[in-house]
Amino acid sequence: MFQVLYEADGREQVYTARKDVLSIGRANDNDIVLNDFSVSRRHAYLKKENGAWVIHDNQSTNGVRVNDKPVPSAEVRGGDAAVIGTFVLRFRDEPTVVPARGRLLDATSTCIRPIAEFNQDFGLERESVPAPDSTAERKRVVLDLAYKNKVFEILVQVAKALISADDLATVLDKVMDLIFEFLPAERGFLLLEEGGALQLRISRFGSGKRSTADGGTPYSRTIVDMVVRQKVAVLTSDAQADERFEAGESIRMQQIRSAMCAPLWSRDAVIGVIYIDSPLHAGTYSGQDLDLLTALANFAAVAIERARLHEHVLEEKRIRGRLERYHSPQVVEEIIADVDVSETGGIKPARTKVVTILFADLVGFTTWSEKMPAETLARMLTEFFTLSSDAVFACGGTIDKFIGDAVMAFFGAPFDQPDHAERAVAAALKIRAEVAAWNHERTAKGEIPIEVRVAVNTGEAIVGDIGSQRRVDYTVLGNAVNVAARLEEFVAQAGDVVIGPDTYRAIEARYACAQLGFFSLKGLSAQVPLYKVLGNK
């Protein structure tokens, strides 16, 4: 094929000759538009004569120069250059390759290529290919291989560019950069399937202007819908002349002429499309261009899915890091598997339910804090909070918060635990046992032993994300929480695990308990029986 290369609007342009006469001039209806007043409206024309291309001056004001010589007409070949006004036109010959299973394109044709056919032609699907049995067939195969090698060379560059990008925005931007680098696109649009519909994610224009989603962006919905619905790649040399697109309002309003659209193909699904067009010129794209766009779209789809997966992993890590401050590893796994992180941030909304609350507090902390160096005090609290958290997590509980020298935890949320009271008491006994073991180490080092008191209460509470618009905490609120705090502060003694009446009823079959008597507690209208857990039965 014969091609004309020139620079317009700061970008290299390539025009492929698909008819025997090409007009050149300033007017927009020329085949090659050179928009400058140094060029006449109908400056010159290229004509194929006896197999050769000849450029003719069309009685222009500034004339035509070929290889630095003014000429009324001259034969031009690959490597020659012509000067028209301020523009330099260079010519080159490209080998003619029959694209898309033998379909040659003219200036008004449309090529619709199934993705399955493209995959087969480029060896992406296994199929036995018969050996060529004629000289003509062998020549066609050689040309076909040469073209495919060219496509693969370009795709190597594409792969290098895309594999280095992880976030989706960067991938989409690079995809559009590559399209404008390797294809004669004046406008380009990339749409992705999101929420069951295609959404415009990025657009680019020949001027270098970029934009994101914009409902008024002028791509052809008719062509895009055909590509998605039929799973094909589409090239139209002149959409205005194709009866299949007569109903396309965007095609008429935007005066879309040459256009190509290829699906972003991931496994068996179309996850989006790449669409490029040339509003002013017919016959801009070839079947080779369609193959290249389709191949590029395949690579882009892989990169997009990889970027989406990378972003999902990062989001899951962020959610997991937040949840691990509050929950046991088992509960974190359940939350990650059960909750849509994009909607709730990894936490279920606030609700009312029955849970069991635990408070564990160091005895005599105020006295120590006055005498102990700050570094030593901080180290001691860190060790206590660590062993308490480990005990809570081992029993499937959730750390609510650390309050001074106290640990607050709860059981039965975010997921239902029918035995949440038993879990809480088991965690309380484990905290007591771990503190006893820790005291052996402390006394061996000459440090004073510490004592802990624990209270456990079961009741109805509000559970979920509570806080301001800028900061929230996953917590429990309600009278059951207040009662648990008062049991720990006013009833429990050093070494005690004190429980409320509802907790006692839930665990009495498993744990040995001693009744402490009836107590009046703020928030409760009547006296309630309280118990001390002695151990397992």
Side-chain angles (χ1 to χ4, degrees):
M1 287 185 180
F2 190 69
Q3 293 186 323
V4 183
L5 292 76
Y6 60 99
E7 186 174 301
D9 298 324
R11 192 168 69 87
E12 187 73 19
Q13 308 287 331
V14 179
Y15 187 90
T16 301
R18 295 187 178 85
K19 53 184 180 178
D20 291 343
V21 180
L22 309 175
S23 61
I24 306 171
R26 191 175 74 248
N28 285 336
D29 56 354
N30 285 287
D31 296 298
I32 298 175
V33 178
L34 306 177
N35 192 9
D36 188 88
F37 284 105
S38 64
V39 181
S40 300
R41 290 179 59 80
R42 302 281 186 274
H43 198 109
Y45 62 92
L46 276 166
K47 186 177 181 181
K48 195 171 186 180
E49 301 174 2
N50 299 320
W53 284 93
V54 180
I55 189 169
H56 297 271
D57 181 16
N58 199 21
Q59 299 181 343
S60 65
T61 301
N62 295 321
V64 175
R65 298 176 65 88
V66 174
N67 298 331
D68 291 331
K69 295 180 180 179
V71 295
S73 64
E75 181 178 330
V76 290
R77 301 184 177 89
D80 289 340
V83 176
I84 295 179
T86 61
F87 295 87
V88 177
L89 279 62
R90 292 175 288 111
F91 307 99
R92 73 180 180 192
D93 294 303
E94 283 262 308
T96 301
V97 180
V98 179
R101 291 187 177 272
R103 289 193 292 275
L104 286 169
L105 301 178
D106 57 39
T108 60
S109 65
T110 294
C111 173
I112 299 175
R113 189 169 195 199
I115 295 301
E117 180 183 297
F118 171 85
N119 291 342
Q120 179 180 319
D121 283 356
F122 278 80
L124 302 179
E125 292 182 357
R126 295 184 178 276
E127 183 179 279
S128 59
V129 179
D133 56 1
S134 67
T135 301
E137 180 68 11
R138 283 193 292 273
K139 183 177 180 180
R140 188 196 69 76
V141 169
V142 170
L143 288 173
D144 198 35
L145 286 174
Y147 166 62
K148 289 178 180 177
N149 286 336
K150 178 182 176 182
V151 171
F152 285 128
E153 287 176 7
I154 293 174
L155 291 181
V156 168
Q157 300 180 53
V158 172
K160 287 180 180 179
L162 294 181
I163 201 169
S164 62
D166 285 326
D167 66 285
L168 184 58
T170 302
V171 168
L172 299 183
D173 213 38
K174 285 194 174 185
V175 168
M176 201 58 71
D177 287 342
L178 293 164
I179 287 171
F180 275 75
E181 180 178 353
F182 295 116
L183 290 167
E186 294 183 25
R187 304 187 303 185
F189 308 95
L190 192 151
L191 298 88
L192 290 182
E193 192 279 328
E194 295 173 347
L198 285 179
Q199 304 292 334
L200 179 63
R201 290 298 304 267
I202 188 170
S203 58
R204 184 80 58 81
F205 302 90
S207 61
K209 177 183 177 184
R210 306 178 184 207
S211 68
T212 52
D214 176 6
T217 305
Y219 61 87
S220 169
R221 296 184 183 275
T222 305
I223 294 175
V224 167
D225 289 344
M226 174 185 289
V227 168
V228 175
R229 186 175 62 256
Q230 299 182 18
K231 297 181 180 179
V232 295
V234 171
L235 182 161
T236 175
S237 296
D238 190 349
Q240 301 289 320
D242 194 314
E243 61 182 14
R244 276 170 291 201
F245 305 131
E246 285 182 352
E249 182 178 350
S250 56
I251 290 175
R252 295 194 307 273
M253 292 183 63
Q254 303 299 331
Q255 292 296 302
I256 295 171
R257 305 296 293 272
S258 300
M260 290 196 298
C261 187
L264 294 165
W265 187 260
S266 177
R267 293 180 288 275
D268 296 326
V270 175
I271 64 169
V273 299
I274 297 174
Y275 171 96
I276 64 174
D277 68 15
S278 175
L280 300 178
H281 304 111
T284 301
Y285 306 115
S286 67
Q288 296 178 15
D289 293 330
L290 182 64
D291 280 345
L292 180 56
L293 180 66
T294 305
L296 195 151
N298 272 279
F299 272 73
V302 173
I304 288 168
E305 290 291 81
R306 176 176 172 271
R308 281 175 162 174
L309 178 61
H310 178 73
E311 290 185 352
H312 178 77
V313 169
L314 290 180
E315 179 68 5
E316 185 172 300
K317 284 182 178 179
R318 185 188 70 81
I319 298 297
R320 187 183 297 274
R322 179 187 175 197
L323 294 175
E324 283 176 346
R325 296 184 304 169
Y326 308 109
H327 306 293
S328 67
Q330 297 88 342
V331 172
V332 170
E333 292 299 329
E334 289 185 45
I335 292 175
I336 292 294
D338 183 70
V339 179
D340 185 346
V341 297
S342 66
E343 293 181 357
T344 67
I347 298 297
K348 291 186 174 181
R351 53 184 172 151
T352 300
K353 66 179 305 186
V354 176
V355 293
T356 299
I357 302 98
L358 177 150
F359 279 88
D361 180 37
L362 291 177
V363 177
F365 174 77
T366 304
T367 303
W368 300 336
S369 62
E370 294 175 352
K371 302 176 182 178
M372 196 175 291
E375 294 81 2
T376 304
L377 185 64
R379 185 171 61 252
M380 184 185 72
L381 285 176
T382 298
E383 291 186 44
F384 172 64
F385 290 152
T386 299
L387 71 86
S388 299
S389 299
D390 290 344
V392 170
F393 290 163
C395 298
T398 297
I399 294 293
D400 187 300
K401 59 178 69 74
F402 301 121
I403 311 167
D405 63 329
V407 176
M408 175 183 170
F410 56 90
F411 297 77
F415 293 97
D416 292 335
Q417 295 169 323
D419 59 344
H420 54 82
E422 291 186 1
R423 290 173 178 267
V425 171
L429 294 175
K430 189 171 181 62
I431 290 173
R432 190 171 66 179
E434 292 296 328
V435 167
W438 184 27
N439 278 329
H440 284 296
E441 299 176 9
R442 291 180 60 81
T443 54
K445 294 185 291 185
E447 298 175 339
I448 60 171
I450 64 170
E451 293 182 291
V452 65
R453 59 191 178 203
V454 186
V456 177
N457 187 53
T458 301
E460 197 172 74
I462 298 172
V463 186
D465 262 344
I466 307 293
S468 68
Q469 291 183 343
R470 301 188 57 150
R471 176 189 166 122
V472 295
D473 285 315
Y474 187 64
T475 187
V476 290
L477 299 173
N479 193 55
V481 180
N482 298 334
V483 169
R486 292 182 185 111
L487 292 184
E488 179 269 315
E489 184 176 3
F490 300 114
V491 179
Q493 301 298 314
D496 284 352
V497 175
V498 175
I499 61 175
D502 289 337
T503 306
Y504 172 74
R505 283 190 288 272
I507 63 97
E508 61 176 327
R510 177 174 174 182
Y511 292 99
C513 300
Q515 185 172 350
L516 296 176
F518 286 79
F519 291 77
S520 295
L521 298 173
K522 185 177 179 181
L524 298 179
S525 58
Q527 289 189 330
V528 293
L530 300 180
Y531 303 83
K532 180 169 69 173
V533 179
L534 302 177
N536 291 312
K537 279 191 174 179

